[in-house]
Amino acid sequence: MAKSNYVPLFETKQVIGRIFFRCIAASIFLGICFIVMYRVMFFPVGGKAERWTWIGLFLSELWFCLYWFFTTVSRWNSVYRLPYIDRLSQRFGKELPGIDIFVCTADPLMEPPSIVVNTVLSVMAYDYPPEKLSIYLSDDGGSDLTFYAMLEAANFSKTWLPFCKKLKVEPTSPEAYFRTASEPVNAEWLSVKDTITYTLLHQLYNQEKHI
């Protein structure tokens, strides 16, 4: 696939400290060679029990040496991949599969609606084609409180989702974002924050009425 506008989906980088790891591995390998030489050169000639004990120790050491060898070989040239998630939709936007996401809850007292709402809004704000993303809330308790909280969340999502896409918000949970983000001088930012604050306070008020 040789195109002029081709962009990789990830970048491969080498792990820091490979030279240090290889030096340690080389010193361990040298120590293993000395152990093998010692076991072969000083093999006991008298006493059946001593010989079998020596052989058992030697075999166990060979087994651990073999395990160390395969482990070290797998880590000899360690790398890690840095993905570029935003490029996935650019290249395969029309070929991405549909995704169904289920959010489960049961008790509005043990699992406050504010947490459920933040979870659902966070999932809705995924960087994924919205027409291929379906989100379902399974409320085993059938709580009216959770139901009305989701109605509030549905109204707030009309403000929150465009806000996330416009500013590329991370994390996409409203509560987590406004708890960690510094306040910029932006009327839209303050408006969205006031809206989510009102929504959470309204949910807490309804929760207190149902207790």
Side-chain angles (χ1 to χ4, degrees), residues 52-172:
W52 281 110
T53 303
W54 193 273
I55 292 174
L57 290 173
F58 187 38
L59 291 177
S60 63
E61 289 168 351
L62 287 179
W63 170 255
F64 283 111
C65 291
L66 184 64
Y67 171 77
W68 172 85
F69 175 76
F70 285 113
T71 303
T72 305
V73 167
S74 64
R75 299 175 181 175
W76 190 257
N77 191 26
S78 299
V79 297
Y80 67 93
R81 319 265 183 210
L82 181 65
Y84 299 111
I85 303 176
D86 56 318
R87 298 178 181 177
L88 182 64
S89 58
Q90 295 177 5
R91 186 187 299 183
F92 302 104
K94 297 181 179 180
E95 301 176 11
L96 293 175
I99 296 179
D100 295 331
I101 301 178
F102 289 84
V103 179
C104 300
T105 185
D107 188 351
L109 299 181
M110 299 294 294
E111 301 168 334
S114 59
I115 297 178
V116 179
V117 165
N118 276 280
T119 302
V120 173
L121 290 173
S122 176
V123 174
M124 292 176 65
Y126 277 176
D127 186 12
Y128 204 81
E131 67 276 5
K132 296 185 177 182
L133 184 63
S134 300
I135 303 164
Y136 305 91
L137 176 64
S138 175
D139 183 11
D140 296 338
S143 170
D144 293 337
L145 181 60
T146 303
F147 174 76
Y148 288 113
M150 291 308 303
L151 290 180
E152 294 287 342
N155 293 328
F156 178 67
S157 66
K158 299 176 183 178
T159 303
W160 177 247
L161 299 183
F163 176 77
C164 288
K165 292 182 179 180
K166 181 178 179 180
L167 299 182
K168 297 181 178 180
V169 168
E170 287 291 341
T172 54

Side-chain angles (χ1 to χ4, degrees), residues 1-15:
M1 184 177 178
K3 293 184 178 181
S4 58
N5 58 349
Y6 173 81
V7 289
L9 297 178
F10 61 89
E11 182 181 357
T12 302
K13 293 186 176 182
Q14 296 180 346
V15 174

Side-chain angles (χ1 to χ4, degrees), residues 30-50:
L30 184 62
I32 291 173
C33 292
F34 283 128
I35 291 175
V36 173
M37 291 175 58
Y38 172 78
R39 290 296 182 190
V40 173
M41 294 175 61
F42 296 93
F43 186 82
V45 293
K48 187 175 181 179
E50 289 82 356

